[in-house]
Amino acid sequence: MSEVAVAVDDLVVEFSSDEGPVRAVDRVNLQLERGKILGLIGESGCGKTTVAHAMLNAVAEPGRIVRGRIHYAGHGDLLGMSEEAQRLFRWQHVSVVFQASQNTLNPLQRIEAQIRELARAHRISNPNALVGRAREICDRLRLDGRRMLDAYPHQLSGGMRQRVGIMLALLLQPEIILFDEPTTALDSLSQESVLRIIEEIHAKEGISGVFITHDLGIVAEVADVVAVMYAGRIVETAPTGTLFNAPRHPYSRALLNALPRLTGDPRAAKGLTGAPPKVVGEVAGCLFRERCRFQTAQCKMAEPVLTSVDADHRVACFKINEEDGRASV
Ligand SMILES: Nc1ncnc2c1ncn2[C@@H]1O[C@H](COP(=O)(O)OP(=O)(O)OP(=O)(O)O)[C@@H](O)[C@H]1O
Ligand SMILES: [Mg+2]
């Protein structure tokens, strides 16, 4: 039996706005198995980063977690812990690498000073050992550890800063790392090297990860399972191979269709027209229906829930059998 490292249950996150509460994450359920990487994909604004922030209970104002549980194996619900326990839990058990790691770094302090501050904040009895470990991880990430620790963030290139961000995420040996577009701001060579590093630490240390990216090629490469989000909801989850070879939700099919293929007619790669709806308060029905060529009255009246179509493959759509499940949008 596979073990679940973290389970997100019935998560709802809203941002207050003049029009009312914007529902950025709507009743999301996710399970991350130990040692596995879950890819989280979907168009801009669909709620991926908000899910990652909620997994750290770090949703910023004007957002708030309306309900849900973030259950970490062996630790319980993060949202039920005291503020102090949550503070210690982050970085120690779950850490994060953002697109712009420089934003995690204090521009006014050398990296070593920041590590010493982390040691203080986490009541680590031997800060020198932590600095030593940081140097070692840097070397493993093909960075000159001594030079990195001595540097101010602005003295490092984007690729270096991103690797320093990964080093910091690894430093307290967490079981889970959340990667939110860790390679997006990098040139393709740095991107490739950061990706190799993530794969390497995943393989060696059995770390579980959530990997958020717009780059479906990267998802295909690093993720074991994929969850597709649309307008705050999960619309499909499947093992990576299944999702790429046999997506069932019309939205997933459209997302994958937008990819140019090596074989076949390149003109068949179509962009998806229109935009996701802004969800204010509770909205009934399928949120994708306005962009879906299979929509019927049912899609407006009722909400499709995630339903198993195969082992580990779940889809929230009434029309998955349209054209034998193989139609393109
Ligand atoms: N600071 C904020 N204030 C108001 N609304 C916000 C804020 N941050 C996010 N939202 C709302 O939450 C939704 C989801 O945003 P989120 O950043 O999680 O999307 P995303 O999938 O990470 O997008 P991207 O791919 O562009 O990073 C947005 O569409 C927006 O409605
Ligand atoms: Mg985001």
mmCIF file of all heavy atoms in Angstrom, residues 44-45 47-50 99 180-181 212 214, ligand 2:
data_model
loop_
_atom_site.group_PDB
_atom_site.id
_atom_site.type_symbol
_atom_site.label_atom_id
_atom_site.label_comp_id
_atom_site.label_asym_id
_atom_site.label_seq_id
_atom_site.Cartn_x
_atom_site.Cartn_y
_atom_site.Cartn_z
ATOM 1 N N SER A 44 -3.291 30.067 -16.278
ATOM 2 C CA SER A 44 -2.972 31.128 -15.326
ATOM 3 C C SER A 44 -4.239 31.537 -14.563
ATOM 4 O O SER A 44 -5.300 31.699 -15.160
ATOM 5 C CB SER A 44 -2.431 32.308 -16.128
ATOM 6 O OG SER A 44 -1.917 33.243 -15.255
ATOM 7 N N GLY A 45 -4.109 31.676 -13.265
ATOM 8 C CA GLY A 45 -5.240 32.127 -12.452
ATOM 9 C C GLY A 45 -6.161 31.009 -11.985
ATOM 10 O O GLY A 45 -7.177 31.264 -11.343
ATOM 11 N N GLY A 47 -5.586 28.769 -9.751
ATOM 12 C CA GLY A 47 -5.513 28.497 -8.314
ATOM 13 C C GLY A 47 -4.348 27.642 -7.861
ATOM 14 O O GLY A 47 -4.278 27.254 -6.696
ATOM 15 N N LYS A 48 -3.384 27.378 -8.732
ATOM 16 C CA LYS A 48 -2.272 26.477 -8.389
ATOM 17 C C LYS A 48 -1.435 27.034 -7.230
ATOM 18 O O LYS A 48 -1.174 26.335 -6.242
ATOM 19 C CB LYS A 48 -1.375 26.239 -9.619
ATOM 20 C CG LYS A 48 -2.126 25.727 -10.834
ATOM 21 C CD LYS A 48 -1.229 25.550 -12.044
ATOM 22 C CE LYS A 48 -0.579 26.808 -12.579
ATOM 23 N NZ LYS A 48 -1.511 27.791 -13.177
ATOM 24 N N THR A 49 -1.002 28.294 -7.384
ATOM 25 C CA THR A 49 -0.181 28.896 -6.326
ATOM 26 C C THR A 49 -0.969 28.995 -5.025
ATOM 27 O O THR A 49 -0.422 28.771 -3.934
ATOM 28 C CB THR A 49 0.299 30.298 -6.771
ATOM 29 O OG1 THR A 49 1.158 30.122 -7.903
ATOM 30 C CG2 THR A 49 1.056 31.015 -5.674
ATOM 31 N N THR A 50 -2.244 29.294 -5.137
ATOM 32 C CA THR A 50 -3.064 29.418 -3.925
ATOM 33 C C THR A 50 -3.141 28.072 -3.191
ATOM 34 O O THR A 50 -3.090 28.038 -1.960
ATOM 35 C CB THR A 50 -4.472 29.941 -4.288
ATOM 36 O OG1 THR A 50 -4.317 31.127 -5.077
ATOM 37 C CG2 THR A 50 -5.266 30.282 -3.052
ATOM 38 N N GLN A 99 9.089 30.552 -8.006
ATOM 39 C CA GLN A 99 9.630 30.953 -9.300
ATOM 40 C C GLN A 99 10.776 31.941 -9.103
ATOM 41 O O GLN A 99 11.831 31.814 -9.701
ATOM 42 C CB GLN A 99 8.521 31.629 -10.104
ATOM 43 C CG GLN A 99 9.005 32.238 -11.387
ATOM 44 C CD GLN A 99 7.852 32.784 -12.208
ATOM 45 O OE1 GLN A 99 6.719 32.355 -12.064
ATOM 46 N NE2 GLN A 99 8.152 33.725 -13.069
ATOM 47 N N ASP A 180 6.928 25.837 -7.003
ATOM 48 C CA ASP A 180 5.988 26.654 -7.768
ATOM 49 C C ASP A 180 6.741 27.331 -8.910
ATOM 50 O O ASP A 180 7.390 28.351 -8.724
ATOM 51 C CB ASP A 180 5.317 27.689 -6.856
ATOM 52 C CG ASP A 180 4.158 28.394 -7.559
ATOM 53 O OD1 ASP A 180 3.917 28.114 -8.745
ATOM 54 O OD2 ASP A 180 3.506 29.231 -6.915
ATOM 55 N N GLU A 181 6.644 26.768 -10.075
ATOM 56 C CA GLU A 181 7.338 27.253 -11.269
ATOM 57 C C GLU A 181 8.812 27.537 -10.992
ATOM 58 O O GLU A 181 9.295 28.648 -11.252
ATOM 59 C CB GLU A 181 6.629 28.500 -11.798
ATOM 60 C CG GLU A 181 5.155 28.219 -12.012
ATOM 61 C CD GLU A 181 4.494 29.161 -12.981
ATOM 62 O OE1 GLU A 181 5.202 29.741 -13.805
ATOM 63 O OE2 GLU A 181 3.266 29.279 -12.917
ATOM 64 N N ILE A 212 4.464 22.669 -9.694
ATOM 65 C CA ILE A 212 3.549 23.525 -10.448
ATOM 66 C C ILE A 212 4.300 24.128 -11.621
ATOM 67 O O ILE A 212 5.383 24.695 -11.433
ATOM 68 C CB ILE A 212 3.021 24.662 -9.538
ATOM 69 C CG1 ILE A 212 2.207 24.069 -8.391
ATOM 70 C CG2 ILE A 212 2.212 25.673 -10.339
ATOM 71 C CD1 ILE A 212 1.812 25.082 -7.327
ATOM 72 N N HIS A 214 3.732 25.674 -16.032
ATOM 73 C CA HIS A 214 2.956 25.798 -17.269
ATOM 74 C C HIS A 214 3.572 24.937 -18.354
ATOM 75 O O HIS A 214 2.993 24.781 -19.424
ATOM 76 C CB HIS A 214 2.958 27.250 -17.755
ATOM 77 C CG HIS A 214 2.062 28.117 -16.951
ATOM 78 N ND1 HIS A 214 0.725 28.206 -17.203
ATOM 79 C CD2 HIS A 214 2.290 28.902 -15.884
ATOM 80 C CE1 HIS A 214 0.166 29.025 -16.327
ATOM 81 N NE2 HIS A 214 1.111 29.458 -15.510
HETATM 82 MG MG MG B 2 0.954 30.702 -9.740
#
